[in-house]
Amino acid sequence: MLVLALDTSTSTVTAGVVDLPESGAPVVRAQRVSAGARKHGELLMPHVLEACAEAGVALRDVDAIVTGTGPGPFTGLRVGMVTAAALGDALGTPVHGVCSHDAIAREACATRLSGNMVVVTDARRREVYWAGYDAEGYRITGPHVEAPAVLVERLAGFPSVAAAGEQAAVTGLPVIGPATPGPAGLVAVAADVLRAGTDPGPLRPLYLRRPDAVEPGARKRVSA
């Protein structure tokens, strides 16, 4: 099965073409990964097309699309999810959403950890997104959004041997890779449903915060 994997939940823009065999781990045929916190919209589709060209496939050859659903900041996260949804609609291809932290954890745990781990990414506003995982990369808690100091306090109740993600260092734990979701990790999270041919559920972004924009209130009365 040929899968297109996308993620824009972090400051990194990621696109890749991945082979998912009937059994075993996903194999990345081509990928494009660039740091660009404010260039998600500019970089994502060129990355998709470049990865397809390197892999020697056309977009119509893709059997499924997997996209990270966050947690992530509003604008960047929407770019990846909307692009995946638009491609799926245009190509008649199923689009599966997966938690971006799960993708980081699945790759990180390939190193065979001896205990729990946490994934920590930048939520801006002096906060981080984080989630806790067992040694196999399956989520136990989260994702949450909190100040780094609060996270460190919570880790006393969630003993861990390592941390991954772009903000992993705030935990004081040994840092392991990857820092951001990669194509192999994204597809690994969705592997079971992809192989089973399960219809994807609705794409739901993990913003974890209420939007800043609010409906305007009633107009103020101005006296003469």
Side-chain angles (χ1 to χ4, degrees):
M1 176 181 293
L2 196 62
V3 185
L4 176 65
L6 315 175
D7 190 271
T8 57
S9 65
T10 69
S11 60
T12 297
V13 181
T14 297
V17 177
V18 182
D19 275 323
L20 180 65
E22 292 185 4
S23 62
V27 178
V28 177
R29 290 179 58 170
Q31 64 181 347
R32 291 292 185 274
V33 179
S34 293
R38 299 184 184 276
K39 295 184 178 180
H40 295 86
E42 298 174 35
L43 296 175
L44 183 57
M45 272 310 299
H47 280 12
V48 168
L49 297 175
E50 290 167 8
C52 286
E54 182 179 329
V57 301
L59 279 172
R60 63 179 176 272
D61 299 325
V62 171
D63 299 304
I65 299 170
V66 173
T67 183
T69 58
F74 289 84
T75 303
L77 182 55
R78 281 197 296 266
V79 170
M81 295 185 66
V82 169
T83 300
L87 287 172
D89 185 62
L91 299 169
T93 302
V95 180
H96 296 264
V98 300
C99 173
S100 303
H101 279 193
D102 291 358
I104 294 174
R106 200 62 62 89
E107 285 194 56
C109 288
T111 58
R112 299 184 181 275
L113 297 177
S114 59
N116 295 338
M117 67 164 292
V118 292
V119 172
V120 190
T121 58
D122 188 6
R124 301 178 186 172
R125 302 182 189 175
R126 299 180 182 179
E127 291 183 321
V128 294
Y129 299 117
W130 75 277
Y133 296 83
D134 65 18
E136 301 298 319
Y138 291 93
R139 189 165 9 122
I140 299 172
T141 181
H144 311 283
V145 57
E146 292 174 325
V150 176
L151 166 58
V152 172
E153 291 179 2
R154 292 194 185 281
L155 290 179
F158 187 77
S160 305
V161 300
E166 58 189 355
Q167 293 294 313
V170 304
T171 64
L173 295 167
V175 175
I176 58 177
T180 58
L186 292 162
V187 174
V189 175
D192 288 344
V193 295
L194 290 169
R195 289 175 174 135
T198 304
D199 290 334
L203 290 176
R204 292 195 175 97
L206 293 168
Y207 291 134
L208 304 190
R209 288 193 186 112
R210 294 183 61 82
D212 292 330
V214 296
E215 292 186 21
R219 291 185 178 180
K220 294 181 180 179
R221 297 187 64 180
V222 179
S223 57

